[in-house]
Amino acid sequence: MGLLAGLVTDLLSGVVGKLSQERTNGASTLGTLVSPFLAYFLTNNPLPNGYPWGKLTDWGTNPYKDWPHTGVIRNYDFTLSRGVIAPDGYQRDVLLVNGAFPGPLIEANWGDKIIVTVRNNITAPEEGTVVHWHGFLQEGTPWEDGAPGVTQCPITPGKSFTYEFIASLYGTTWYHAHYSAQYSGGVVGPMVIHGPSKYKYDIDVGPIMLSDWYHKSYYDIVKQMLAPNGSPRVVSDNNLINGKMNFDCSKVAAGDTKPCTNNAGISKFRLKKGKTHRLRLINAGAEGVQRFTIDGHNLTVIANDFVPVKPYTTNVVTLGVGQRADVLVTANVGDSNSAFWMRSNLSGCAGTPNTPPPANQPFAVAAVYYDAADTSKAPTSKAWDIPDAVRCTNDDLAITEPLFPMPLPAATFTQTMDISIFKNASDVTLWKFDGVSMRANYDSPVLLQANQGNFTFPTEWNVRNFYTNSSVRIIVHNNSPASHPMHLHGHNFYVLNEGPGEWDGTIVRSSNPQRRDVQLVRPNGHLVLQFDPQPGVWAFHCHVAWHASGGFFSSFVVKPDDVKKMRVPDTVQQTCRQWRAYTSANVVDQIDSGT
């Protein structure tokens, strides 16, 4: 990491941006020095015992059974539309949320209700859309999860859908489009749910979104990838921190006439000398595994995804797509005039043997300035001498221990699910998960079918019914040369084991195993997870956008009798009626799995 990261500093790290923030990121202020720090919690609400969550704690409260019922509603209104910006200096058509990339921050306290109206103003051409609220449990509201063909029909062009759900977990997460690979084109944004923290800090810096970036549109990428004899290997063009990075415009492909500006502008952060800061890291990319560091500074991890953990200190945090980490950083290196590089590298571990990583420019940098540092000057700090990972894996399960202890229950059912890659009869390379390459039916979401008592589904929907089982164990065998960030909607699962080859039956710390909602499975390895089902239909898939597009996706029906009894709001059915009316008059070009 050290040598290569040093090279990127020389080539791509000019700190005085040549483009305005509006031209690089639209209405977003993330990554600028005017982006505000966050408060410890929102205060325009009741504060029993001085806190929105009263006496509940992160170390003594089971968040899956006890969460505050604040009665507070946080309203947001999002319009999704097309726009033209240049996040790294290369100008391209993108998708924006309220004119911004990344989209606006959603902020709430633990136990608040979040209401978001999503308006589909995507035109020229028109597309359907949905938005997924990553990591939320959606207890009793699975139709609010945001997965087309699974929990709802797409939002029709020119129409809107209003999502309503309780923030029953707290910490750092994000929202993103879940329609095809749409989110890789820009429909992403951070979410912060304030909650208790045993480990104190002085300043909440807020979200730091890490994302690989592509100069082609997601539609063109998927269409090329899924063409006969197309390559499943998708190569990103750059790597961004809070939607910003420079690009060497001499590397633009021959014949490409799109405007490109060198030194467009990188993200900047201000730290206060001697203070401890909370950084909320989010891998919001389409494929790459991120390796995050700050020169000279230790990182103390206090949460993985929505799960507070016993703190551990490291120099590098590894995040697969969809994963988050809350880290504490103390500004205690040098004097108040000091400045340092923040770095996030797309790991070469994502490449196959003898194949380079799937990125043309895998190094992202941002500038970190102490109080009195000159923000017009580039830092001169040196990168940590940390070799790149040879395997795409998360931190050792032995050190990622949840703060609130929960022993692993006995599994009442075990399902083995194999990952494989194949070519179909049309010479198109696709993914199979548990023997099926999934394709969604936008007109008939699985949840609505189950709610009507229909539990017989076409094979290509790749649905598994776990009936009334109280704890389901999933053994994932990865028979492919790529790593996969495995994400289960609506749950934090227990991570029992992860490693090479076949599982030997060993469980890591059964008294209190790691819990989270995304976990990396290494190439040609295994991942064993377990979850305590709550009623609904829940997607389980690889969070690499291109793999999900290629069919690496499944859905779990759990507690079907309870699902039949659910009172699904009429607005969900209305969204389907609108979609069917639209598709009866317009051809929807579903070029991939659909979700």
Side-chain angles (χ1 to χ4, degrees):
M1 176 181 282
L3 176 60
L4 291 176
L7 290 175
V8 76
T9 296
D10 295 336
L11 294 172
L12 301 171
S13 55
V15 297
V16 179
K18 292 186 177 180
L19 294 181
S20 68
Q21 179 70 5
E22 182 178 11
R23 288 185 64 188
T24 57
N25 299 91
S28 174
T29 62
L30 279 179
T32 69
L33 293 174
V34 300
S35 187
F37 293 141
L38 302 185
Y40 293 115
F41 49 80
L42 302 180
T43 57
N44 57 341
N45 42 256
L47 298 173
N49 299 106
Y51 299 94
W53 44 85
K55 295 182 178 180
L56 302 182
T57 67
D58 54 348
W59 53 267
T61 302
N62 184 336
Y64 312 107
K65 294 183 177 179
D66 299 307
W67 59 86
H69 297 268
T70 64
V72 175
I73 296 174
R74 308 291 178 185
N75 281 293
Y76 292 86
D77 198 302
F78 286 172
T79 296
L80 278 50
S81 62
R82 297 193 188 276
V84 178
I85 56 173
D88 62 353
Y90 180 90
Q91 184 173 295
R92 54 154 294 192
D93 296 331
V94 297
L95 295 167
L96 301 172
V97 183
N98 288 1
F101 170 74
L105 169 68
I106 288 179
E107 195 175 5
N109 292 325
W110 186 23
D112 288 352
K113 174 180 278 192
I114 297 172
I115 300 179
V116 189
T117 297
V118 175
R119 305 179 190 278
N120 183 356
N121 195 33
I122 302 172
T123 58
E126 295 179 331
E127 295 182 23
T129 194
V130 304
V131 176
H132 172 55
W133 318 98
H134 187 108
F136 288 93
L137 300 183
Q138 301 291 359
E139 298 98 333
T141 57
W143 49 85
E144 309 289 0
D145 187 52
V150 180
T151 61
Q152 69 171 100
C153 294
I155 304 169
T156 301
K159 302 295 183 181
S160 66
F161 183 79
T162 299
Y163 295 89
E164 300 185 22
F165 54 94
I166 298 295
S168 63
L169 296 178
Y170 54 90
T172 303
T173 191
W174 60 310
Y175 59 85
H176 60 86
H178 216 306
Y179 180 99
S180 183
Q182 201 175 62
Y183 83 82
S184 67
V187 185
V188 297
M191 302 181 75
V192 171
I193 311 302
H194 298 285
S197 178
K198 180 178 180 180
Y199 304 102
K200 303 306 178 185
Y201 53 91
D202 302 300
I203 297 169
D204 192 331
V205 174
I208 299 178
M209 304 190 77
L210 315 172
S211 53
D212 48 21
W213 186 245
Y214 303 78
H215 291 167
K216 290 183 179 179
S217 72
Y218 88 87
Y219 183 90
D220 289 342
I221 291 172
V222 171
K223 196 164 187 176
Q224 182 177 0
M225 178 184 74
L226 297 181
N229 203 35
S231 172
R233 184 173 180 269
V234 178
V235 179
S236 65
D237 292 289
N238 211 340
N239 195 23
L240 311 180
I241 295 177
N242 272 351
K244 301 175 71 64
M245 182 53 191
N246 294 328
F247 183 73
D248 181 358
C249 292
S250 69
K251 301 295 178 63
V252 172
D256 187 340
T257 59
K258 292 281 184 68
C260 186
T261 302
N262 286 310
N263 291 317
I266 63 172
S267 287
K268 297 181 180 182
F269 298 89
R270 178 78 78 180
L271 301 187
K272 293 189 176 182
K273 171 67 178 173
K275 301 296 185 181
T276 297
H277 304 74
R278 181 173 185 161
L279 279 57
R280 300 173 178 271
L281 310 179
I282 305 165
N283 185 338
E287 179 170 18
V289 175
Q290 300 278 356
R291 304 255 293 167
F292 177 90
T293 64
I294 300 177
D295 293 356
H297 291 73
N298 292 321
L299 309 173
T300 299
V301 180
I302 61 169
N304 284 321
D305 297 350
F306 263 153
V307 180
V309 297
K310 296 180 179 179
Y312 61 94
T313 300
T314 182
N315 300 131
V316 57
V317 172
T318 301
L319 295 176
V321 177
Q323 292 186 311
R324 295 88 66 209
D326 287 42
V327 302
L328 301 184
V329 178
T330 301
N332 58 2
V333 181
D335 57 29
S336 60
N337 294 305
S338 299
F340 303 87
W341 287 117
M342 174 188 292
R343 308 175 193 263
S344 198
N345 294 0
L346 291 169
S347 177
C349 71
T352 56
N354 302 315
T355 302
N360 288 327
Q361 199 299 93
F363 309 109
V365 294
V368 175
Y369 298 101
Y370 281 12
D371 307 65
D374 185 346
T375 60
S376 67
K377 294 182 178 179
T380 58
S381 59
K382 301 301 181 184
W384 287 103
D385 186 14
I386 303 171
D388 192 17
V390 296
R391 298 182 302 272
C392 287
T393 57
N394 291 122
D395 292 337
D396 191 335
L397 294 174
I399 64 172
T400 56
E401 183 174 1
L403 189 57
F404 179 81
M406 293 181 61
L408 181 70
T412 58
F413 185 82
T414 298
Q415 176 84 35
T416 298
M417 304 184 75
D418 288 351
I419 301 166
S420 61
I421 192 169
F422 75 106
K423 284 194 172 186
N424 68 9
S426 300
D427 203 28
V428 175
T429 302
L430 297 170
W431 292 89
K432 282 185 180 180
F433 193 29
D434 200 18
V436 177
S437 185
M438 182 269 193
R439 185 173 174 84
N441 185 334
Y442 287 154
D443 290 342
S444 299
V446 178
L447 176 63
L448 298 189
Q449 292 292 314
N451 181 242
Q452 295 166 8
N454 179 9
F455 296 99
T456 302
F457 308 105
T459 300
E460 68 178 12
W461 293 10
N462 206 17
V463 180
R464 301 292 177 269
N465 192 332
F466 291 125
Y467 300 97
T468 60
N469 282 285
S470 60
S471 197
V472 175
R473 182 171 298 176
I474 306 293
I475 303 172
V476 177
H477 288 151
N478 184 10
N479 302 311
S480 80
S483 68
H484 304 283
M486 301 304 302
H487 174 45
L488 176 61
H489 290 214
H491 298 79
N492 276 332
F493 50 72
Y494 307 93
V495 184
L496 281 59
N497 205 319
E498 185 282 328
E502 300 285 326
W503 181 42
D504 63 4
T506 302
I507 296 174
V508 178
R509 202 177 50 255
S510 61
S511 60
N512 187 26
Q514 165 73 312
R515 303 186 303 271
R516 64 188 315 167
D517 57 62
V518 182
Q519 178 74 21
L520 282 166
V521 57
R522 70 182 70 192
N524 298 299
H526 68 267
L527 168 64
V528 185
L529 58 89
Q530 192 167 315
F531 68 99
D532 300 334
Q534 59 156 327
V537 177
W538 309 106
F540 180 49
H541 62 96
C542 174
H543 217 304
V544 171
W546 321 121
H547 297 178
S549 284
F552 192 162
F553 199 99
S554 64
S555 296
F556 295 165
V557 176
V558 294
K559 308 281 181 68
D561 288 343
D562 292 337
V563 173
K564 286 193 294 184
K565 297 174 184 176
M566 288 180 167
R567 300 184 64 183
V568 180
D570 292 341
T571 52
V572 179
Q573 291 287 4
Q574 176 64 14
T575 299
C576 285
R577 287 190 290 270
Q578 292 169 344
W579 179 254
R580 292 174 191 134
Y582 176 80
T583 57
S584 68
N586 299 271
V587 176
V588 175
D589 191 9
Q590 186 177 335
I591 59 173
D592 61 3
S593 70
T595 191

